[in-house]
């Protein structure tokens, strides 16, 4: 069992940042634009995508849903 190193700067990637990234990617933004919108670097995005399976799954789902039309039930 390995322990994560707790020394150093905390990660900028949290749940709010993941939601911002997924939202931007789902609205057909490029990865560069989505990272800029969420306030992280592309290196951070790709590092977490490689090492965090939940993050990778969430981003894959957002990218897969790019071209699907979303309807709101609140519109008239």
């Amino acid at each position: 069992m390995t322990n994560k190193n707790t020394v150093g700067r905390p990660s900028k990637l949290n749940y709010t940042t993941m939601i911002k990234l997924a939202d931007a990617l789902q609205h057909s933004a490029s990865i560069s634009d989505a990272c800029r919108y969420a306030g992280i670097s592309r290196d951070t995005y790709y590092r977490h995508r490689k090492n965090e399976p939940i993050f990778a799954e969430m981003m894959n789902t957002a990218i897969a849903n790019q071209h699907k039309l979303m309807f709101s039930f609140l519109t008239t």
Side-chain angles (χ1 to χ4, degrees):
M1 182 172 165
T2 61
N3 292 331
K4 289 196 173 193
N5 191 1
T6 58
V7 177
R9 185 183 310 177
S11 176
K12 288 185 82 172
L13 192 68
N14 54 25
Y15 187 73
T16 306
T17 307
M18 285 174 48
I19 295 298
K20 283 183 176 182
L21 279 169
D23 183 50
L25 289 173
Q26 203 165 14
H27 287 92
S28 300
S30 66
I31 292 178
S32 295
D33 291 338
C35 290
R36 194 174 304 117
Y37 172 69
I40 63 169
S41 69
R42 285 175 44 111
D43 291 336
T44 301
Y45 172 83
Y46 285 114
R47 183 174 51 251
H48 282 280
R49 188 168 177 137
K50 179 181 173 186
N51 297 328
E52 303 290 334
I54 294 171
F55 177 78
E57 181 181 345
M58 189 175 192
M59 295 305 116
N60 287 337
T61 302
I63 291 169
N65 290 333
Q66 274 184 346
H67 301 293
K68 292 184 181 177
L69 186 59
M70 302 289 179
F71 288 105
S72 173
F73 292 107
L74 300 176
T75 60
T76 56

mmCIF file of all heavy atoms in Angstrom, residues 1-7:
data_model
loop_
_atom_site.group_PDB
_atom_site.id
_atom_site.type_symbol
_atom_site.label_atom_id
_atom_site.label_comp_id
_atom_site.label_asym_id
_atom_site.label_seq_id
_atom_site.Cartn_x
_atom_site.Cartn_y
_atom_site.Cartn_z
ATOM 1 N N MET A 1 0.838 -1.176 0.000
ATOM 2 C CA MET A 1 0.000 0.000 0.000
ATOM 3 C C MET A 1 0.884 1.241 0.000
ATOM 4 O O MET A 1 1.808 1.352 0.774
ATOM 5 C CB MET A 1 -0.881 -0.033 1.243
ATOM 6 C CG MET A 1 -1.828 1.108 1.344
ATOM 7 S SD MET A 1 -2.934 0.790 2.722
ATOM 8 C CE MET A 1 -3.601 2.378 2.890
ATOM 9 N N THR A 2 0.581 2.152 -0.872
ATOM 10 C CA THR A 2 1.373 3.375 -0.946
ATOM 11 C C THR A 2 0.571 4.545 -0.410
ATOM 12 O O THR A 2 -0.644 4.616 -0.563
ATOM 13 C CB THR A 2 1.785 3.669 -2.400
ATOM 14 O OG1 THR A 2 0.595 3.854 -3.171
ATOM 15 C CG2 THR A 2 2.617 2.546 -2.975
ATOM 16 N N ASN A 3 1.264 5.450 0.216
ATOM 17 C CA ASN A 3 0.640 6.679 0.715
ATOM 18 C C ASN A 3 0.940 7.804 -0.244
ATOM 19 O O ASN A 3 2.045 7.916 -0.760
ATOM 20 C CB ASN A 3 1.177 7.033 2.100
ATOM 21 C CG ASN A 3 0.742 6.045 3.154
ATOM 22 O OD1 ASN A 3 -0.316 5.451 3.015
ATOM 23 N ND2 ASN A 3 1.550 5.864 4.175
ATOM 24 N N LYS A 4 -0.052 8.650 -0.453
ATOM 25 C CA LYS A 4 0.184 9.806 -1.300
ATOM 26 C C LYS A 4 1.007 10.827 -0.530
ATOM 27 O O LYS A 4 0.843 10.999 0.668
ATOM 28 C CB LYS A 4 -1.130 10.423 -1.741
ATOM 29 C CG LYS A 4 -1.862 9.574 -2.742
ATOM 30 C CD LYS A 4 -2.923 10.369 -3.425
ATOM 31 C CE LYS A 4 -3.495 9.507 -4.533
ATOM 32 N NZ LYS A 4 -4.301 10.275 -5.423
ATOM 33 N N ASN A 5 1.868 11.484 -1.238
ATOM 34 C CA ASN A 5 2.715 12.502 -0.639
ATOM 35 C C ASN A 5 1.863 13.710 -0.281
ATOM 36 O O ASN A 5 1.198 14.286 -1.131
ATOM 37 C CB ASN A 5 3.816 12.886 -1.628
ATOM 38 C CG ASN A 5 4.877 13.734 -0.994
ATOM 39 O OD1 ASN A 5 4.810 14.024 0.191
ATOM 40 N ND2 ASN A 5 5.858 14.132 -1.780
ATOM 41 N N THR A 6 1.845 14.107 0.975
ATOM 42 C CA THR A 6 1.017 15.222 1.419
ATOM 43 C C THR A 6 1.786 16.528 1.495
ATOM 44 O O THR A 6 1.230 17.537 1.912
ATOM 45 C CB THR A 6 0.399 14.921 2.795
ATOM 46 O OG1 THR A 6 1.440 14.674 3.726
ATOM 47 C CG2 THR A 6 -0.528 13.738 2.729
ATOM 48 N N VAL A 7 3.025 16.524 1.094
ATOM 49 C CA VAL A 7 3.841 17.719 1.134
ATOM 50 C C VAL A 7 3.741 18.410 -0.217
ATOM 51 O O VAL A 7 3.767 17.778 -1.252
ATOM 52 C CB VAL A 7 5.310 17.371 1.441
ATOM 53 C CG1 VAL A 7 6.175 18.612 1.418
ATOM 54 C CG2 VAL A 7 5.417 16.672 2.774
#
